[in-house]
Amino acid sequence: MTDVAAAAGVSHQTVSRVLNGSELVRDETRVRVLAAIAELGYRRNNAARLLVTNRSHRIGMISAHLVLHGPSMIAVSVQDAGHKAGYDVSLVAVEDFSAQSLREAVDRLLDEAVEAIVVAVAHRQALEQVSSLEVPVPVIIVQGVSDGQPMAVGIEQEAGARVAVEHLLDLGHRHVAHLTGPLEWVEAAQRRAGWQHAHEDRHVLPGPELAGDWSPQSGYEAGLRIAEDPDVTAVFAANDGMAMGLMYALHEKGRDVPGEISVVGFDNVPEAPYVWPALTTVNQEFSLLGRRAVELTMQALAGEADPSTQLIRPELVVRDSTAAPRPAVRER
Amino acid sequence: MTDVAAAAGVSHQTVSRVLNGSELVRDETRVRVLAAIAELGYRRNNAARLLVTNRSHRIGMISAHLVLHGPSMIAVSVQDAGHKAGYDVSLVAVEDFSAQSLREAVDRLLDEAVEAIVVAVAHRQALEQVSSLEVPVPVIIVQGVSDGQPMAVGIEQEAGARVAVEHLLDLGHRHVAHLTGPLEWVEAAQRRAGWQHAHEDRHVLPGPELAGDWSPQSGYEAGLRIAEDPDVTAVFAANDGMAMGLMYALHEKGRDVPGEISVVGFDNVPEAPYVWPALTTVNQEFSLLGRRAVELTMQALAGEADPSTQLIRPELVVRDSTAAPRPAVRER
DNA sequence: GACGAAATTGTGAACGCTAACATTCTTTGT
DNA sequence: ACAAAGAATGTTAGCGTTCACAATTTCGTC
């Protein structure tokens, strides 16, 4: 900077002012400085800047299970929205949800001088750990959010599950079976709750509940069992991957989808329209989620803490994997 | 740091020494300093550190199309491997491959004081732009790598494509059609080359070539056309998403897979085993790729430039979407 | 044509750390 | 017991910015 100042015949402070867009510098001077900067290929040292300003323009994100569609989309969208807001985003992936590894993740981010931390881990345990941690910067939650949680933005999982189940009930199915995600995931628990409540509202008992782990493999295994049960005419799987595994098993066992059994997924992965039959599922607007998360972060940074939870409502996408039950089934 | 020094009754330099693991400090003193650090909750300021050492312990990564399976896996694996090597990884996603946006991406990373840049963009144009850019740090390429390219680690796309096509030819198909990715992607071009060469080696003409864009949608459209062509008994799709769209179209048109037409994909996405029929595809070891990329980066940083290209050989995973052609087809 | 206010520019210190060198303690050998 | 070598610690000076304030210039006014 001193070199630039010398080349432009001004003081280093004037160079600094030009760089920071101060009004207090004559146009002519500004031009000279800019020219000197260009000529010398000068690039300002952000470490020095951070040292004195204490503002890193960086936010941290803690994430997990980035191989899964949802988490990875969220990570990308937060990163993107952050960049657009002029912030760098540091991502650290955790592999388990112990107090220790969360602590490490937070520490790593704090070492990078992040101004806020976005937590995108839907594990119940993780969220508890995080909220019990002493963190000297704002913490924003973007997954596994329940209503009334402060500093959080999420997708209304329960509403999404409800509309999926209601769609099936509306088609005439007496009840709907549910293949859950791992219930330690808030998302999974909320989708399950939505499934239950949809039945309760209509005063019918829900169909059988099977436990999955998000993987298509677990969907496949569940499918093998469902194929044996003549009473099941509709299944709501907690994500598309499991729905696909499930349909695979049904095919394998010669059960027709949707002729004999209807299937609904959740997530609307890009492949969903192209499995056979095209999967009816629930679409989540991840990019909107990222944008909202960053907006909230900016508010927190500006001190305008808005404690209300922002919730985004997902919507059902009807395709070919759902249909009315066969008349045969309805005879009584 | 001064506070810690005071609390421990030593000079700030001794604290610095403890923090940097210097040998030149008595055990007893070290313990005192550590205690003071713990008590005061002291955390060293990396900006100040970077300012004087000029080492950021950060590497940058330029990526694109993070919604796609491959790029996103690569991003995650590099990030992960980087962390394990003690480096933070800054990711910036580019949306087009103009000189300008690449320049911006590089500048953004340089502003973050990265010590090296990993480029994970398989677009031919992007790679050309990047190599023509003046970048004051080592640049490592991890996608769209061709043999003999310096500072690069990649997956042998052509070999992968070859083994896929040879599998089909071995099953007795006379030739194999190919659904390409966008050919500006080096990957797509290489897979296409592998498909061609496999045919050349056996002195047979390749089947028809159709242009796709990675999306299941484009696979679906290609599938509609292939379904009309009685001469096509086997298709090699350049990625799994297109393969899935393609199979969907074939189903829709009543063509049996693999009975009438065999299909091979590329990538081995998690859903591949659970589409119907389970997709034969080519598996790429992304986590290995990330590790290798970081190894190479570390070498470059240490000045041991190894100009040889590291290539990883992908392997075929045979599932149910491929079979010998029907005898009917082979009658002549 | 000189006065004051506003606009523009400059000066010195500080941010928290490490590098380089200086100093003070311990040993060790005789 | 004393020098010399080596181990452990301390001192000082930056790294490249911005901040707070001081100094200088410019301009409108009478």
Side-chain angles (χ1 to χ4, degrees), chain B residues 270-294:
Chain B
E271 294 87 357
Y274 299 100
V275 293
W276 187 271
L279 185 63
T280 295
T281 186
V282 179
N283 185 59
Q284 315 187 60
E285 274 260 31
F286 291 115
S287 62
L288 179 56
L289 184 66
R291 254 177 291 142
R292 288 273 175 80
V294 171

Side-chain angles (χ1 to χ4, degrees), chain A residues 122-137:
Chain A
H123 223 262
R124 185 185 307 285
Q125 192 193 344
L127 292 172
E128 280 163 13
Q129 296 291 0
V130 164
S131 65
S132 74
L133 239 46
E134 279 295 315
V135 183
V137 296

Side-chain angles (χ1 to χ4, degrees), chain B residues 211-236:
Chain B
D213 63 3
W214 297 140
S215 74
Q217 172 71 32
S218 70
Y220 173 77
E221 284 157 13
L224 291 181
R225 292 168 55 202
I226 286 176
E228 307 287 297
D229 185 342
D231 195 39
V232 174
T233 65
V235 186
F236 166 49

Side-chain angles (χ1 to χ4, degrees), chain A residues 98-114:
Chain A
S98 62
Q100 193 203 351
S101 63
L102 260 347
R103 183 75 254 176
E104 277 171 15
V106 168
D107 282 345
R108 153 163 240 148
L109 290 175
L110 290 177
D111 280 345
E112 297 186 43
V114 297

Side-chain angles (χ1 to χ4, degrees), chain A residues 43 46 51 58 83 88 91 107-108 110-112 216-217 244 248 251-252 271 274-276 320, chain B residues 43 46 58 83 88 91 107-108 110-112 216-217 220 244 248 251-252 271 274-276 320:
Chain A
R43 145 168 282 139
N46 276 309
L51 183 58
R58 178 181 295 280
H83 282 176
D88 289 322
L91 176 67
D107 282 345
R108 153 163 240 148
L110 290 177
D111 280 345
E112 297 186 43
Q217 172 70 32
M244 288 165 69
Y248 183 93
H251 277 128
E252 195 173 83
E271 295 87 357
Y274 299 101
V275 294
W276 187 271
D320 307 335
Chain B
R43 143 168 285 141
N46 277 309
R58 178 182 296 281
H83 282 175
D88 289 322
L91 176 67
D107 281 346
R108 154 164 239 147
L110 291 177
D111 280 344
E112 297 186 43
Q217 172 71 32
Y220 173 77
M244 287 165 69
Y248 183 94
H251 275 129
E252 195 173 82
E271 294 87 357
Y274 299 100
V275 293
W276 187 271
D320 306 335

Side-chain angles (χ1 to χ4, degrees), chain B residues 124 145-147 155-166 169 176-202 204-207 209-210 214 236-238 266:
Chain B
R124 185 186 308 285
V145 168
S146 35
D147 210 357
I155 289 176
E156 288 194 57
Q157 304 295 339
E158 186 173 330
R162 259 188 130 94
V163 49
V165 172
E166 280 163 5
L169 296 177
V176 178
H178 182 37
L179 173 54
T180 70
L183 292 173
E184 315 85 66
W185 285 56
V186 179
E187 257 80 348
Q190 289 173 338
R191 288 175 198 170
R192 176 164 168 274
W195 163 73
Q196 283 182 319
H197 294 158
H199 283 90
E200 282 169 19
D201 285 358
R202 305 225 175 165
V204 294
L205 290 175
E209 171 178 338
L210 296 107
W214 297 140
F236 166 49
F266 206 110

Side-chain angles (χ1 to χ4, degrees), chain A residues 72-89:
Chain A
S72 114
M73 293 295 285
I74 291 175
V76 170
S77 78
V78 169
Q79 204 129 7
D80 199 51
H83 282 176
K84 285 190 176 124
Y87 277 72
D88 289 322
V89 178

